[in-house]
Amino acid sequence: MALISSLCIFVLVAYFATPIVCHEKPYQAALFVFGDSVSILEIIITSTPLLTSKQIICRMENHSSSPLLAGSPMDASFLILSLYFAAEYANLPFIPPYFEIGKKPFVHGVNFASGGSGCLAETARGFVIDLQTQLKYFQNVAQLMKKKVGETESKQILSNAVYIFSTANNDMFAPLFANSSFPYSDREYLQMIMGNLTSVLKGIYKEGGRKFVMLNLGPLGCLPLMRALNLQIGVTNGSCMEKATNLAKMFNLALPEMLKQLEKQLPGFKYTIFNFFKVLVDSIDNPTKYGLKISESACCGTGPFRGIHSCGGKREVKEYKLCKNVKDYLFFDSAHPSELAYKKYTELLWNGTPDVVAPYNLKSFFKLST
């Protein structure tokens, strides 16, 4: 099931400011985006003010045929917002999805993210582009860039670029939605995920990548989707699903340890982590702090909390309802924050303090020399 990973950001983002000078040719620092729909949020909504819920649905459906956005249309639509807000702050050029690099310039970066994807190839296999395949596409781009601008400039572009990841969200749903007993313990499964993620980071490093931005996982059990599922299994108080959030916490504990090891092993490897878990929990508990009103139910969907993933009418369940004012809602659909929420999060990612993004915020990370 293509879900959050798309929570995102949560790829939320990208602002670049540091120019790279190569043989008198100025290039802005490039941005390469990997992962799930949290990252893809950058492709559809590009130059408009905050949209109404019906406008978002319309754009979602118009872009659902893109081979890059291989998850559900709604998953795809939410990976779009990050680059939109990045461009707003840094006068950023359009970052094309991988399958459009033949038509659009790609020296400023490429979006490889696929809605519904995970670190593991088994996650939504056949419907999404998994992380290892995204790495292969990046390797293709690295070779094309060498041909386009020469090896020296290509090396400089890739080493100064920022590589942003929002991934593993959808992997974490597999143990929860398995029809039969899941064959791995939580620890074994986490090791598989971290192993694949490590392999991809090393692959990018081998091609010249040095600066990596990672989003940790949000409180997955508090999505409207999971609150609704909790009701189905007999938890009647509308609370978050503890099992799902605990899986996210396991990943979030392992992520910085893995990155610290890579920092020791790989000369010049640099990273920063955006604490998406913290800001989303804060948004749920204190929505008015973020200019929001409703933090448990979604704007678009059906059933309890509008947690049935029917928004857009393109899935098994066709019926869905839309809220009157999307700006009131933390969640747009059953698994993704709203555009306004993403805008707030992007501001934190760009300018945030170490309790939210560390050891660098994006503004300082883009300026960091390699």
Side-chain angles (χ1 to χ4, degrees):
M1 174 177 278
L3 294 171
I4 244 188
S5 63
S6 0
L7 258 179
C8 177
I9 356 179
F10 246 97
V11 181
L12 279 178
V13 160
Y15 301 91
F16 1 133
T18 304
I20 303 171
V21 179
C22 306
H23 297 296
E24 300 181 350
K25 293 181 181 179
Y27 289 106
Q28 288 176 301
L31 175 72
F32 294 94
V33 183
F34 298 82
D36 50 39
S37 51
V38 176
S39 318
I40 299 182
L41 271 176
E42 309 152 269
I43 304 173
I44 294 177
I45 305 171
T46 55
S47 60
T48 61
L50 292 177
L51 302 178
T52 66
S53 52
K54 288 185 178 179
Q55 286 172 321
I56 292 174
I57 294 286
C58 180
R59 291 199 174 203
M60 170 191 76
E61 292 173 347
N62 288 341
H63 288 78
S64 63
S65 61
S66 168
L68 175 66
L69 309 179
S72 65
M74 181 53 69
D75 285 330
S77 75
F78 280 93
L79 280 152
I80 311 314
L81 296 176
S82 31
L83 289 184
Y84 164 51
F85 294 128
E88 182 179 315
Y89 281 88
N91 193 27
L92 185 65
F94 177 76
I95 305 300
Y98 174 72
F99 291 103
E100 293 185 9
I101 61 174
K103 306 174 190 175
K104 298 184 171 92
F106 57 87
V107 293
H108 295 296
V110 177
N111 191 334
F112 301 96
S114 174
S117 70
C119 291
L120 303 177
E122 293 79 10
T123 299
R125 186 193 293 272
F127 296 95
V128 301
I129 301 167
D130 66 89
L131 204 57
Q132 288 285 350
T133 303
Q134 292 177 36
L135 170 61
K136 292 178 182 177
Y137 292 162
F138 169 72
Q139 291 166 338
N140 292 342
V141 167
Q143 293 303 312
L144 289 171
M145 192 172 291
K146 288 179 184 178
K147 294 178 182 178
K148 183 177 181 64
V149 301
E151 187 164 349
T152 300
E153 290 187 14
S154 175
K155 182 178 179 180
Q156 191 169 6
I157 290 170
L158 294 175
S159 67
N160 280 279
V162 169
Y163 301 82
I164 189 165
F165 282 76
S166 169
T167 189
N169 290 280
N170 294 299
D171 297 305
M172 291 303 176
F173 287 107
L176 303 172
F177 290 98
N179 293 325
S180 57
S181 59
F182 198 65
Y184 309 106
S185 68
D186 289 347
R187 184 172 297 276
E188 289 171 335
Y189 192 58
L190 179 64
Q191 288 175 341
M192 292 166 57
I193 291 170
M194 299 308 295
N196 266 28
L197 181 54
T198 300
S199 174
V200 170
L201 296 180
K202 286 183 174 179
I204 294 172
Y205 178 90
K206 186 176 180 180
E207 295 293 335
R210 293 296 182 269
K211 298 192 290 186
F212 298 85
V213 179
M214 311 298 296
L215 278 65
N216 71 9
L217 303 186
L220 299 180
C222 295
L223 303 178
L225 171 76
M226 305 311 290
R227 290 183 191 270
L229 182 60
N230 241 7
L231 281 177
Q232 291 180 24
I233 62 179
V235 181
T236 59
N237 63 359
S239 62
C240 302
M241 181 181 284
E242 188 174 353
K243 170 68 173 176
T245 297
N246 285 341
L247 288 172
K249 288 179 178 178
M250 284 182 58
F251 176 88
N252 292 348
L253 285 173
L255 180 63
E257 295 304 315
M258 179 269 283
L259 293 170
K260 288 175 186 176
Q261 289 300 315
L262 288 180
E263 188 178 41
K264 292 177 182 177
Q265 297 170 10
L266 306 175
F269 180 94
K270 295 178 174 66
Y271 71 89
T272 195
I273 300 174
F274 180 64
N275 196 340
F276 185 50
F277 187 95
K278 179 175 181 176
V279 298
L280 191 54
V281 167
D282 193 33
S283 302
I284 292 169
D285 294 341
N286 306 289
T288 56
K289 179 179 174 181
Y290 296 82
L292 304 162
K293 296 179 181 178
I294 301 168
S295 61
E296 294 185 357
S297 295
C299 167
C300 182
T302 193
F305 305 102
R306 289 188 180 154
I308 295 176
H309 205 51
S310 63
C311 189
K314 297 293 185 178
R315 300 173 185 80
E316 185 176 348
V317 178
K318 305 298 182 185
E319 296 180 3
Y320 66 94
K321 295 181 180 179
L322 285 174
C323 63
K324 291 183 179 179
N325 188 359
V326 66
K327 296 178 184 179
D328 289 342
Y329 284 75
L330 169 60
F331 290 100
F332 180 77
D333 74 345
S334 64
H336 305 88
S338 65
E339 182 180 352
L340 180 58
Y342 275 126
K343 185 172 185 178
K344 299 288 186 180
Y345 301 158
T346 305
E347 292 169 357
L348 290 172
L349 177 57
W350 179 244
N351 256 331
T353 52
D355 61 314
V356 173
V357 53
Y360 311 94
N361 58 32
L362 269 189
K363 184 176 182 179
S364 60
F365 202 49
F366 271 104
K367 295 178 180 178
L368 194 64
S369 61
T370 56

